[in-house]
Amino acid sequence: MTSIECLPGGTVGGSIRVPGDKSISHRSIILSSIAQGTSHISGFLQGEDSLNTLKAFQSMGVSIEREGTRVIVHGVGLHGLNKPDKSLDMGNSGTAMRLLLGLLAGQSFDSTLVGDKSLSQRPMKRVIEPLQAMGARIESQFGYTAPLNVSGMSKLNAINYPTPMASAQVKSCLLLAALYAEGESVIVEPAVTRDHTERMLRGFGCQVISHDRQVRIQGHQQLSATEIEVPADISSAAFFLVAASIATRTELTLEHVGVNPTRTGVIDILRLMGADITLLNQRDIGGEPVADIRVRSASLQGIHIPEELVPLAIDEFPVIFIAAACAQGETLLSGAGELRVKESDRIEVMAQGLSALGVQLEPRPDGIKIFGGPMAGGVINSHGDHRIAMAFSIASIAASESIRIEDCANVDTSFPGFVDLAAGAGIKISIHA
Ligand code: S3P
């Protein structure tokens, strides 16, 4: 089983570029595939999650050429996908499974979605129920979890749906299904979540009206091919934002990072803790804001994390917990129950790992209280969760002894090359098969 070994005393400095944004990479393949014409994508994330999405569309008859991070997709139009020969394997990716479910619900052919052990345990009721309300036929042998069988449909009905949880995956699933529905669909979220689907649909020429927490879309709109430049993933950059903050006397620049305001909660939270983070060269690339991010070491303070920032930083909490463990005083997170249904139960798995390093904490159903203080070394089980493995690699900068992290192969789902990039920046890290 793959493990990561980190020695204490590492740092990070210089200038680095992390791989492409995972959320945008998934969406670039999905929307280019159902567009008319040939789309060109650059900066595509070559991680297992987004590659599974790419393979799924190839097996539905879309011709896709890829050379590293450059992808050319020959779109087949809204109704041009073919029935796949076998089940579509979404691996570890909740985004791929939930977004594809919405798209497949509107196809005329039957299909089956499967995933790995972690994905097969993740909740799908949140997407199955509203899709069924639109008229979709979806069955699962085990209640509301994968494998999921989708029956071909001739038409879906539009939906007016308040999503019970703040989830961009649920919103995006319904937006994709809504493209195949009669009339206008309206989705209202309890809190604003990442809006990459809405922005990219507009880039493909669709009309999508967003106002505050509400999104409206008319069915049967045709998408026209376009060019997409995927920025570096702020969720991957987040590991280095924390690394540079907790290291001593250093400065690091992260290049060309996507800074869409629905994703920058991690910057806001770290700044509230006292981090020294500056956005440089802010620009707009294909409808998504991008910047270089400069981070300098800082002395971090514990805070009560504002609940409105939780959906805007939902994937970054594993490494934010490391920042909290290195801060002076207590950090309190609440309103983050969604962390329990990610690739692992991230509250439980982080609590176990931090406790193994001697950090004092109190887990709660919807969050955690972490008491900042010294960190020892130890052995961590990442439970196959990529972000847990990377978060504890960053902890080694502040730990007094070495940290071994087990079950790390899934780092490749979102951040291929993490170990080499981290080692090059100054972290004392190595990988062992
Ligand atoms: C994502 C949305 C978030 C996030 C996930 C990617 C997306 O999930 O955790 O990693 O690309 O839409 P939820 O929508 O379930 O919060």
Side-chain angles (χ1 to χ4, degrees):
M1 202 184 268
T2 309
S3 64
I4 287 177
E5 187 89 40
C6 297
L7 301 176
T11 185
V12 284
S15 201
I16 57 174
R17 179 163 173 165
V18 300
D21 188 279
K22 183 149 73 81
S23 293
I24 298 178
S25 293
H26 282 300
R27 287 156 171 83
S28 69
I29 296 292
I30 298 172
L31 296 189
S32 310
S33 294
I34 58 166
Q36 271 165 345
T38 300
S39 293
H40 294 256
I41 306 166
S42 60
F44 182 75
L45 171 67
Q46 307 177 72
E48 284 166 12
D49 278 7
S50 38
L51 289 172
N52 280 330
T53 295
L54 188 153
K55 284 182 213 147
F57 282 92
Q58 283 177 325
S59 57
M60 289 189 280
V62 183
S63 160
I64 306 180
E65 300 148 51
R66 184 175 73 85
E67 254 189 61
T69 59
R70 291 192 168 272
V71 186
I72 300 175
V73 181
H74 301 279
V76 294
L78 215 49
H79 299 285
L81 297 173
N82 294 329
K83 179 176 164 50
D85 292 339
K86 49 183 175 37
S87 301
L88 299 171
D89 188 353
M90 301 294 101
N92 192 242
S93 176
T95 307
M97 183 165 283
R98 295 194 178 113
L99 270 57
L100 259 78
L101 195 63
L103 184 83
L104 292 170
Q107 306 303 316
S108 56
F109 52 80
D110 296 350
S111 53
T112 300
L113 287 168
V114 298
D116 70 4
K117 191 166 159 246
S118 150
L119 184 53
S120 303
Q121 289 165 0
R122 292 182 65 188
M124 294 297 149
K125 189 174 180 177
R126 53 183 61 197
V127 278
I128 294 176
E129 274 190 347
L131 288 172
Q132 285 174 336
M134 295 175 82
R137 282 182 292 156
I138 301 164
E139 277 168 26
S140 157
Q141 217 183 315
F142 306 105
Y144 286 101
T145 51
L148 302 173
N149 297 315
V150 189
S151 301
M153 285 297 300
S154 52
K155 90 177 180 33
L156 295 175
N157 310 312
I159 192 168
N160 189 329
Y161 190 67
T163 61
M165 69 288 293
S167 166
Q169 293 181 358
V170 174
K171 172 178 63 177
S172 302
C173 161
L174 298 179
L175 286 171
L176 290 170
L179 283 175
Y180 293 88
E182 294 296 331
E184 187 188 56
S185 292
V186 182
I187 301 147
V188 185
E189 304 186 275
V192 170
T193 64
R194 67 191 68 191
D195 64 356
H196 304 301
T197 308
E198 298 90 302
R199 286 174 188 253
M200 202 181 284
L201 278 166
R202 288 186 198 109
F204 278 92
C206 281
Q207 213 197 6
V208 183
I209 303 163
S210 311
H211 180 65
D212 194 19
R213 294 173 293 103
Q214 188 189 75
V215 191
R216 312 166 81 90
I217 186 167
Q218 279 288 343
H220 304 304
Q221 299 189 55
Q222 294 298 332
L223 282 67
S224 312
T226 188
E227 292 207 357
I228 300 168
E229 188 184 328
V230 182
D233 196 331
I234 189 164
S235 298
S236 298
F239 298 104
F240 294 95
L241 295 179
V242 172
S245 298
I246 64 173
T248 37
R249 287 190 298 284
T250 193
E251 179 175 309
L252 176 75
T253 302
L254 291 148
E255 297 159 9
H256 207 76
V257 183
V259 287
N260 178 319
T262 60
R263 294 286 298 282
T264 47
V266 61
I267 295 179
D268 299 331
I269 292 169
L270 290 174
R271 278 181 175 157
L272 288 173
M273 296 177 79
D276 180 350
I277 300 176
T278 311
L279 302 194
L280 306 166
N281 306 323
Q282 294 195 51
R283 52 215 184 254
D284 186 278
I285 308 270
E288 288 281 350
V290 171
D292 301 323
I293 308 181
R294 191 188 67 206
V295 204
R296 292 179 172 145
S297 329
S299 142
L300 301 182
Q301 309 294 319
I303 57 163
H304 185 167
I305 298 175
E307 283 195 12
E308 65 272 18
L309 293 179
V310 170
L312 312 180
I314 195 67
D315 290 337
E316 288 69 71
F317 283 104
V319 79
I320 291 171
F321 289 4
I322 301 298
C326 298
Q328 270 195 344
E330 296 169 21
T331 295
L332 177 64
L333 171 67
S334 54
E338 278 293 300
L339 291 180
R340 294 203 178 269
V341 289
K342 294 294 175 189
E343 285 84 329
S344 68
D345 175 342
R346 287 185 173 158
I347 295 175
E348 177 58 27
V349 174
M350 283 303 297
Q352 280 173 17
L354 287 168
S355 299
L357 303 183
V359 176
Q360 300 299 306
L361 50 88
E362 287 169 15
R364 300 172 173 202
D366 71 334
I368 195 165
K369 188 186 255 189
I370 297 175
F371 301 87
M375 252 192 298
V379 180
I380 309 290
N381 185 342
S382 79
H383 290 267
D385 185 330
H386 54 135
R387 299 203 201 277
I388 303 278
M390 291 186 275
F392 280 105
S393 310
I394 301 306
S396 68
I397 293 176
S400 57
E401 286 157 62
S402 68
I403 297 180
R404 194 173 82 236
I405 309 147
E406 296 185 327
D407 197 0
C408 294
N410 276 343
V411 165
D412 284 349
T413 59
S414 69
F415 201 152
F418 167 73
V419 171
D420 288 345
L421 196 69
I427 297 180
K428 297 182 177 171
I429 182 170
S430 55
I431 190 155
H432 305 270

